[in-house]
Amino acid sequence: MHLAKIAAFALLGYTTAASSSGAEIPTLGLTDENYRGERRCADVDCLYHIRTTGSLHTKEFALYLENRQGVPISIFHDIPFQPETRNEPDVFNMVVEIPRWKIAKFETNKETVMNPIKQDVEKDGSLRYMPNMFPMRGYPVNYGAIMQTYEDPNFITSETGTVGDNDPIDVVELSETPGYVGQVKQVKILGGLCLIDEGETDWKVVTIDINDPMAQYLSNMDDVAQHYPGLQEVIRDWYTYYKVPYEGVQNTFGFGGRYMDKEYMTSIVYETHDLWRALIEGKAERADIQTATLTNVDSPYKVDASSPEVRSVPKNDPQPPTPPPEKYQRWSFVPSFFKDRP
């Protein structure tokens, strides 16, 4: 890919908001109203609200979602697989964990009761950040997961011979607007990649927010190539090289690194939903995964608002954000990331 094309994608991602004085101020992954104690809607219909505790970019930070009654729910198990108000087989609920151009590696925490979003940690216990690979900053897309899915580590992908990565299925989302941590988007599937991460299957489902102006023009990966020329290569290259700056290793892909089509990826998403269903119904090994759920009435892990698990969730206590360490703001130069393409 030509450097100019990559730079164009990077420059498109820096969004600003105008202050009352007319000056432009950068927007945050979690906007300022989160730190004034107001409960921000997590989705367009305000079915869920955000509850936070601790300061962003610290180990104390945790983001929970509440239902309309203000009761904390499990992000993993209680955010519906698909919107309850729609009936399209290719439209799903996505929870944004990392907004586009952000570097903090947030993810839904399986091991904490009610599965809040927390910042991942490295093997040495330090908080995890993604590299800024020149000329991009952080993630090139909105990133998150479809909840009520599970890439079971006991399930083998026959085409690759690799097992699931023990997480909900990952989603990259292409809309023009950066999301925010904890946002619930309604997205439609366009295709996907099969990343092989340390010997595990780690699907990346490519989607677009159904409310994005371009959604009407995008139905599959051919449409992405037509309307966003070069973006497929940017995403694949980013996943290939993002470990190089800190670990010195490249990732590999199943299926020769090619994008799988919409129909195939839709079938994979439904397959991972079935694997989650086995987990939440007590038919699969859960190990250290927290499975308390308010909404799955047939689950042996069903709880209610008065249960100890729900009552253990901290009260809403938003704090001013802590900036990421300066060393993670630097650009990394990965020569192979800029190879020209025919």
Side-chain angles (χ1 to χ4, degrees):
M1 171 173 294
H2 294 289
L3 183 59
K5 186 175 287 184
I6 300 177
F9 286 120
L11 293 173
L12 286 172
Y14 288 95
T15 59
T16 58
S19 69
S20 58
S21 65
E24 291 188 336
I25 55 175
T27 59
L28 300 172
L30 283 171
T31 57
D32 290 339
E33 61 240 42
N34 294 99
Y35 306 112
R36 294 198 297 266
E38 300 173 11
R39 304 292 180 88
R40 179 167 184 169
C41 287
D43 70 349
V44 292
D45 297 321
C46 211
L47 291 173
Y48 312 104
H49 286 82
I50 288 172
R51 176 189 294 199
T52 63
T53 183
S55 176
L56 200 67
H57 307 130
T58 69
K59 291 184 180 180
E60 291 70 37
F61 178 81
L63 184 149
Y64 296 85
L65 292 184
E66 307 172 344
N67 60 22
R68 278 181 167 167
Q69 292 71 46
V71 178
I73 62 174
S74 163
I75 294 179
F76 188 4
H77 307 301
D78 292 327
I79 297 298
F81 176 58
Q82 293 180 290
E84 297 175 346
T85 56
R86 305 183 68 93
N87 191 31
E88 293 108 325
D90 63 339
V91 174
F92 300 86
N93 284 325
M94 167 200 182
V95 175
V96 176
E97 296 167 320
I98 308 170
R100 189 173 75 227
W101 311 119
K102 299 301 178 181
I103 61 173
K105 181 64 171 71
F106 287 108
E107 63 180 19
T108 302
N109 189 282
K110 304 184 304 296
E111 296 77 28
T112 302
V113 174
M114 309 315 290
N115 313 115
I117 294 174
K118 292 185 173 184
Q119 191 166 346
D120 194 15
V121 295
E122 302 284 3
K123 293 177 181 178
D124 64 2
S126 62
L127 292 174
R128 187 178 178 194
Y129 292 91
M130 295 292 100
N132 297 310
M133 292 192 293
F134 178 85
M136 289 193 294
R137 175 173 170 79
Y139 274 78
V141 288
N142 290 317
Y143 175 88
I146 297 172
M147 299 302 158
Q148 296 190 344
T149 65
Y150 183 49
E151 295 192 68
D152 192 330
N154 297 305
F155 180 83
I156 299 175
T157 302
S158 58
E159 294 89 344
T160 63
T162 52
V163 298
D165 72 344
N166 198 39
D167 281 323
I169 197 165
D170 293 331
V171 177
V172 299
E173 192 274 312
L174 309 183
S175 66
E176 64 182 25
T177 306
Y180 53 88
V181 183
Q183 181 181 14
V184 181
K185 284 175 169 277
Q186 297 176 352
V187 300
K188 65 176 178 179
I189 292 178
L190 305 174
L193 282 170
C194 182
L195 180 69
I196 306 299
D197 189 357
E198 298 183 0
E200 297 175 335
T201 304
D202 190 7
W203 290 105
K204 307 299 178 185
V205 187
V206 179
T207 70
I208 189 166
D209 188 329
I210 62 172
N211 296 303
D212 187 83
M214 287 299 296
Q216 62 182 313
Y217 305 110
L218 301 179
S219 296
N220 51 51
M221 296 309 297
D222 289 339
D223 294 337
V224 175
Q226 177 183 350
H227 293 284
Y228 295 137
L231 182 54
Q232 293 186 48
E233 290 82 3
V234 167
I235 293 170
R236 181 168 47 216
D237 286 352
W238 192 90
Y239 278 112
T240 300
Y241 300 115
Y242 79 90
K243 290 186 178 180
V244 171
Y246 298 154
E247 301 178 31
V249 297
Q250 295 183 17
N251 280 322
T252 59
F253 297 89
F255 304 93
R258 74 179 185 275
Y259 280 90
M260 309 307 290
D261 63 24
K262 175 193 187 82
E263 291 72 25
Y264 186 88
M265 286 311 305
T266 301
S267 71
I268 292 295
V269 170
Y270 278 100
E271 180 178 77
T272 59
H273 180 58
D274 290 340
L275 294 171
W276 168 82
R277 178 63 62 188
L279 175 71
I280 202 64
E281 291 180 353
K283 300 173 183 176
E285 180 183 352
R286 63 171 179 159
D288 54 357
I289 296 176
Q290 293 289 335
T291 47
T293 172
L294 274 80
T295 59
N296 292 279
V297 296
D298 296 326
S299 172
Y301 314 118
K302 173 75 169 62
V303 298
D304 57 38
S306 63
S307 299
E309 294 89 344
V310 177
R311 292 168 63 89
S312 71
V313 174
K315 299 294 185 183
N316 190 51
D317 185 27
Q319 301 293 322
T322 299
E326 181 62 30
K327 66 179 180 178
Y328 295 114
Q329 306 289 2
R330 301 168 186 161
W331 260 328
S332 296
F333 292 82
V334 183
S336 52
F337 189 66
F338 306 111
K339 59 185 182 296
D340 283 345
R341 296 182 181 279

